[in-house]
Amino acid sequence: MIGVYFSGTGNTRFCIDKFLSEYDNSQTTYSIEEQETLEIIKKNDEIVIGYPVQYNNIPKLLQDYIVNNGHIWNGKRIFIIATMGLFSGDGAGIMARLLKRYGAEIVGGLHLQMPDSIGDVKALKRDFTANKELVRNAEQKICKAVSELKNGKPPREGLGVGAYLAGLFGQRLYFFWKTKQYTSRLKINSSKCPKQAITLLGKQVIEQNDVSKYL
């Protein structure tokens, strides 16, 4: 089994690494951003794929990766890990439904709460001790999931109808537009940067102290 992941802060990669080390004492994990990953997926039939849920949806970068390479998922047996800061009704389910379109077999799903990277949401702010506890609980849950998978009864979190409804009405219905697109264009909100520490000059971002060098 190999691990494929999309991760912003490293939380999801940590979970995939832990899962594989428990499963077969390996850490053969690959980011979707690595060029070799597509070829590696083609050569392996068993995959654990992980990603952080964003507003109870699949990050646009990952969704495009799945769709644009739809032919490689046919016949793959896939276990899905969805990481989240607080809530995910069907985090594994939305990925499962997408992969099934391309012929994948979904063998199980797991939801893991991890320290969140969103800094401006009070509900997700935790101190170091609380975050450490989250990681410890996630590790224990991963160990249990691997044991159940090996015994032929893998967890199926987020894959049922109830989970779908929870995800749809809990978040996705109201925030679906948040993850519909992405852009490489940098935007600077000057109203939130009163000291104007950085500025956009043409296509370059420069510190205010260096502006004179470009004028």
Coordinates of all heavy atoms in Angstrom, one line a residue, residues 58 68 117 119 138 149 155 176 185:
I58 N -13.7 19.2 -0.9 CA -12.4 18.8 -1.4 C -11.7 20.1 -1.8 O -12.3 20.8 -2.6 CB -12.5 17.8 -2.5 CG1 -13.3 16.6 -2.2 CG2 -11.1 17.4 -3.0 CD1 -13.6 15.6 -3.3
N68 N -8.5 15.4 -13.6 CA -7.6 15.5 -14.7 C -6.9 14.2 -15.0 O -6.3 14.0 -16.1 CB -6.7 16.7 -14.6 CG -7.3 18.0 -14.6 OD1 -8.5 18.2 -15.1 ND2 -6.7 19.0 -14.0
S117 N -5.1 25.1 11.0 CA -4.2 26.2 10.5 C -4.9 27.5 10.3 O -4.3 28.5 9.9 CB -3.6 25.7 9.1 OG -4.6 25.5 8.2
G119 N -6.2 30.8 11.4 CA -5.8 31.6 12.6 C -6.8 32.6 13.0 O -6.7 33.2 14.1
A138 N -5.6 11.2 17.5 CA -5.6 10.8 16.1 C -4.7 9.6 15.9 O -5.1 8.7 15.2 CB -5.1 12.0 15.3
L149 N -8.9 -2.7 9.6 CA -8.7 -2.9 8.2 C -8.1 -4.3 7.9 O -8.5 -5.1 7.1 CB -7.8 -1.8 7.6 CG -7.4 -2.0 6.1 CD1 -8.7 -2.0 5.2 CD2 -6.5 -0.8 5.7
P155 N -13.1 0.9 9.2 CA -14.1 1.9 9.5 C -14.6 2.5 8.2 O -13.8 2.6 7.2 CB -13.3 2.9 10.3 CG -11.8 2.7 9.9 CD -11.7 1.2 9.6
F176 N -20.2 26.3 -0.3 CA -19.7 25.6 -1.4 C -18.9 26.5 -2.3 O -17.9 26.1 -3.0 CB -20.9 25.0 -2.3 CG -21.7 26.0 -3.0 CD1 -21.4 26.3 -4.4 CD2 -22.7 26.7 -2.4 CE1 -22.1 27.2 -5.1 CE2 -23.4 27.6 -3.1 CZ -23.1 27.9 -4.5
R185 N -3.0 34.6 -8.2 CA -2.8 36.0 -8.1 C -2.8 36.5 -6.6 O -3.6 36.0 -5.9 CB -3.9 36.8 -8.8 CG -3.9 36.5 -10.3 CD -5.1 37.2 -11.0 NE -4.9 38.7 -10.8 CZ -5.9 39.6 -11.2 NH1 -7.0 39.1 -11.7 NH2 -5.7 40.9 -11.0

